[in-house]
Amino acid sequence: RERGITIDIALWKFQSAKRIYTVIDAPGHRDFIKNMITGTSQADCCVLVIAAREGEFETGIAENGQSKEHALLAFTFGVKNMVVAVNKMDDKSVGYSQKRFTEIK
């Protein structure tokens, strides 16, 4: 918690009249990739959170970037449905810019 990152997977369960859902929060930090794999291997779909901050987005999608690696791992584990959420749009380097959002999209 002191580092502001998720270390272990967390599970939340809820259900509708027809289905049972489990939300798995898996870490994205490089130090805890094994935990991310554990969570992703149980998923039917996922939400990949991408940082919009200048430099952070570019690093994430670079050749060995974390965002790119997580998307590839999810696909490898059979996750065929992915929602990409753009985070940190309020950062000073972004300022809720539609241009930046479109660039990331």
Side-chain angles (χ1 to χ4, degrees):
R1 285 192 187 271
E2 288 177 16
R3 292 173 62 186
I5 57 175
T6 302
I7 295 174
D8 203 0
I9 62 170
L11 303 169
W12 296 277
K13 294 186 178 208
F14 63 96
Q15 64 187 47
S16 69
K18 295 184 178 184
R19 290 185 167 65
I20 299 172
Y21 300 91
T22 304
V23 176
I24 304 169
D25 181 8
H29 194 274
R30 186 176 302 276
D31 292 347
F32 308 107
I33 195 71
K34 288 180 190 176
N35 296 354
M36 178 271 181
I37 290 170
T38 300
T40 305
S41 67
Q42 300 173 52
D44 295 317
C45 61
C46 69
V47 177
L48 180 64
V49 180
I50 302 289
R53 185 180 292 151
E54 293 276 341
E56 198 169 335
F57 167 71
E58 289 76 10
T59 300
I61 64 163
E63 182 70 28
N64 293 315
Q66 283 296 107
S67 302
K68 192 173 190 176
E69 181 179 6
H70 290 322
L72 179 61
L73 283 170
F75 182 78
T76 301
F77 281 110
V79 178
K80 303 296 185 225
N81 297 297
M82 179 182 294
V83 173
V84 178
V86 181
N87 192 23
K88 301 181 184 177
M89 288 293 294
D90 60 333
D91 186 74
K92 285 187 266 184
S93 68
V94 180
Y96 297 102
S97 167
Q98 179 66 43
K99 180 181 177 192
R100 180 65 169 168
F101 179 79
T102 303
E103 176 185 349
I104 292 168
K105 186 173 133 181

